């Protein structure tokens, strides 16, 4: 924040010069390279390197933040995220975007450097040689270096101690694999946008003996079991569809940028806004998860005899439709990040009513949406229908994402 704020006065002064007019002439550059390297970031980090979804979001956010600063340094239409690289208005936005992406990804994923270098060389070979190309390369390298320096020592490489609860309501490993707790230190990573992850603290899970707890318990028990008789086929398909969350979310972002006809600068800004908000939503989520440390529905249903609530009944044979992730129930990470994405993009487009869709290989279905809020409502339901989250964990997780998006709107990416 401080770096971005420090550059505002300088950039505002520049925007009043002939630079701004020249930049406007080139701001309509095609988004093809930005889109291509956006796909590359997701593929390299999540698919090839196989990182867990929350870890992958950090790398994607670092990459897209650098791409935004690189391209925005040429068009100078909005506040930088970190700093405005030295660039000329006619420098190549394609060279800037590709260089920023390559420089970050090759640093984060050194074992993939040769493959990434080959792709980078192909991208550059399609850009005419000359001053504009070299200027774009320089802007991309500067933006990447600035981003990587800013994230050095941010805590993303810290592995926290495992947590295993013993008391009613506390998280413990879940069947069938009983995987140890994951992401215990993730909530302590330095946020990208908000001042403090702890300031995103939710109201917390319902007390075990409360009527609200029993309502959540009985809902997920009825709708989320593998043999549920009340869950509809569409709800089952939605649960399976959204279990593939990262890939379908990225596909939606890519599609939206294409169908809305965004140019390179706007696409770079859209991806940066979405993923910087998304990663802070997840950091806030995991900070909250390991503050409350609540048990998952499968544990709660198996051990309901010990929860002190007369409105819940134990079923030691109950199994969720989906495999339960190895971290606490409250709040839902998927709801946190999906709400963050959606609200950030609503602010970006100045409307909630955007049409998009995506295909999931897990469910074998394509799901269609007419608004970001419609998508979020389905995500919240899907985690219940899959048997892996309570409604309160979903709803309070969504609040974290929305709060991060609102903070971003009020403090970052403002037009110059």
């Amino acid at each position: 924040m401080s770096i971005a704020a420090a550059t505002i006065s300088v950039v505002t002064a520049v925007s009043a010069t002939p630079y701004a007019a020249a930049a406007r002439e080139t701001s309509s550059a095609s988004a093809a390279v930005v889109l291509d390297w956006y796909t590359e970031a997701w593929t390299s980090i999540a698919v090839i390197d196989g990182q867990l979804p929350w870890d992958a979001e950090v790398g994607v956010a670092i990459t897209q933040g650098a791409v935004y600063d690189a391209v925005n340094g040429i068009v100078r239409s909005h506040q930088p995220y970190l700093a405005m690289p030295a660039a000329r208005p006619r420098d190549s936005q394609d060279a800037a975007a590709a260089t920023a992406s390559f420089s970050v990804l090759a640093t984060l994923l050194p074992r993939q450097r040769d493959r990434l270098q080959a792709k980078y060389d192909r991208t550059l070979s399609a850009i005419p040689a000359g001053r504009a190309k070299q200027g774009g390369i320089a802007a991309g390298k500067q933006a990447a270096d600035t981003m990587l320096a800013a994230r050095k020592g941010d805590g993303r490489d810290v592995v926290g101690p495992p947590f295993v609860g013993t008391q009613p309501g506390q998280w413990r490993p879940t069947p069938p694999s009983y995987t140890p707790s994951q992401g215990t230190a993730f909530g302590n990573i330095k946020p990208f946008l908000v001042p403090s992850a702890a300031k995103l603290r939710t109201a917390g899970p319902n007390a075990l003996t409360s009527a609200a707890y029993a309502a959540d318990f009985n809902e997920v028990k009825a709708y989320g079991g593998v043999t549920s008789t009340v869950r509809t086929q569409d709800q089952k398909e939605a649960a399976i569809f959204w279990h593939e969350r990262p890939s379908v979310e990225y596909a939606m972002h890519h599609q939206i940028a294409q169908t809305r006809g965004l140019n390179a600068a706007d696409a770079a800004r859209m991806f940066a806004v979405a993923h910087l908000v998304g990663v802070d939503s997840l950091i806030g989520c995991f900070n909250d998860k390991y503050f409350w440390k609540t048990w998952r529905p499968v544990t709660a249903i198996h051990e309901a005899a010990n929860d002190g609530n007369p409105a819940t009944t134990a079923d030691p044979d109950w199994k969720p439709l989906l495999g339960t992730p190895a971290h606490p129930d409250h709040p839902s990470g998927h709801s946190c990040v999906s709400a963050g994405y959606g609200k950030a993009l609503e602010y970006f487009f100045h409307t909630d009513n955007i049409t998009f869709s995506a295909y999931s290989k897990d469910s074998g279905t394509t799901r269609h949406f007419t608004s970001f809020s419609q998508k979020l409502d389905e995500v919240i339901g899907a985690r219940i229908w899959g048997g892996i989250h309570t409604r309160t964990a979903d709803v309070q997780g969504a609040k974290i994402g929305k709060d991060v998006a609102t903070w971003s709107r009020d403090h970052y990416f403002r037009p110059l």
Side-chain angles (χ1 to χ4, degrees):
M1 283 180 288
S2 60
I3 299 176
T7 62
I8 293 173
S9 60
V10 175
V11 175
T12 301
V14 172
S15 66
T17 72
Y19 187 112
R24 282 194 295 272
E25 293 177 11
T26 59
S27 64
S28 60
S30 166
V33 170
V34 172
L35 289 167
D36 183 36
W37 279 90
Y38 176 67
T39 300
E40 183 60 54
W42 153 247
T43 302
S44 299
I45 294 170
V47 180
I48 297 175
D49 202 55
Q51 294 185 18
L52 291 167
W54 51 92
D55 291 328
E57 188 68 15
V58 176
V60 173
I62 291 172
T63 307
Q64 299 313 130
V67 171
Y68 165 71
D69 272 355
V71 176
N72 187 61
I74 295 171
V75 302
R76 302 201 176 195
S77 60
H78 289 73
Q79 294 174 359
Y81 166 58
L82 289 178
M84 198 79 82
R88 295 177 295 271
R90 298 189 188 280
D91 284 343
S92 170
Q93 296 174 46
D94 287 349
T99 301
S101 294
F102 167 73
S103 299
V104 170
L105 292 173
T107 300
L108 298 181
L109 306 167
R111 289 180 294 181
Q112 296 186 47
R113 175 174 282 276
D114 289 347
R115 185 187 65 81
L116 291 165
Q117 182 73 58
K119 179 181 178 66
Y120 178 56
D121 291 344
R122 290 193 299 272
T123 303
L124 289 187
S125 69
I127 302 171
R131 184 180 180 185
K133 180 177 182 176
Q134 294 307 312
I137 291 172
K141 186 66 166 64
Q142 185 179 344
D145 288 347
T146 299
M147 173 64 84
L148 290 167
R151 299 310 302 180
K152 188 175 183 179
D154 62 2
R156 67 182 183 274
D157 296 325
V158 175
V159 177
F163 171 81
V164 179
T166 57
Q167 299 301 311
Q170 291 185 333
W171 184 87
R172 66 284 314 267
T174 55
S177 62
Y178 295 94
T179 302
S181 56
Q182 297 176 328
T184 55
F186 189 86
N188 297 323
I189 293 175
K190 182 178 72 174
F192 286 70
L193 301 170
V194 299
S196 165
K199 291 188 179 298
L200 297 169
R201 182 75 64 234
T202 68
N206 298 308
L208 294 184
T209 55
S210 68
Y213 175 84
D216 275 358
F217 175 101
N218 288 314
E219 180 183 28
V220 71
K221 183 181 181 184
Y223 282 88
V226 68
T227 60
S228 172
T229 58
V230 296
R231 182 182 55 232
T232 68
Q233 180 62 26
D234 185 67
Q235 289 171 335
K236 180 179 180 179
E237 289 178 0
I240 298 171
F241 177 95
W242 283 113
H243 210 43
E244 198 184 341
R245 191 274 301 170
S247 61
V248 297
E249 293 271 20
Y250 287 124
M252 288 173 180
H253 293 169
H254 192 284
Q255 181 190 90
I256 290 168
Q258 283 188 309
T259 59
R260 302 297 291 185
L262 300 187
N263 59 33
D266 287 341
R269 181 164 53 90
M270 175 191 143
F271 293 148
V273 168
H275 288 286
L276 290 170
V277 167
V279 71
D280 270 13
S281 299
L282 283 172
I283 292 170
C285 176
F286 273 80
N287 187 282
D288 208 52
K289 278 181 179 289
Y290 285 102
F291 180 83
W292 299 110
K293 305 181 182 75
T294 53
W295 58 15
R296 286 280 184 162
V298 63
T299 309
I301 293 168
H302 287 181
E303 301 188 19
N306 302 317
D307 65 16
N309 194 319
T312 64
T313 302
D315 180 354
D317 297 322
W318 187 89
K319 296 179 181 179
L321 173 67
L322 303 176
T324 300
H327 43 80
D329 170 58
H330 186 101
S332 161
H334 192 162
S335 298
C336 287
V337 70
S338 193
Y341 286 157
K343 184 58 70 172
L345 294 179
E346 177 187 335
Y347 290 145
F348 181 91
F349 289 108
H350 304 289
T351 180
D352 179 43
N353 300 315
I354 300 291
T355 300
F356 53 93
S357 62
Y359 171 80
S360 164
K361 67 178 186 299
D362 287 359
S363 65
T365 60
T366 299
R367 300 190 72 82
H368 303 268
F369 304 92
T370 58
S371 68
F372 300 119
S373 57
Q374 179 195 22
K375 184 199 81 169
L376 178 59
D377 287 344
E378 182 170 282
V379 167
I380 288 173
R383 308 314 269 172
I384 299 164
W385 307 327
I388 57 176
H389 276 299
T390 59
R391 183 168 294 276
T392 296
D394 288 326
V395 171
Q396 291 199 23
K399 184 179 184 303
I400 287 178
K402 291 176 181 178
D403 286 348
V404 174
T406 300
W407 178 271
S408 174
R409 178 201 62 185
D410 293 344
H411 295 85
Y412 286 91
F413 306 107
R414 293 179 177 180
L416 294 174

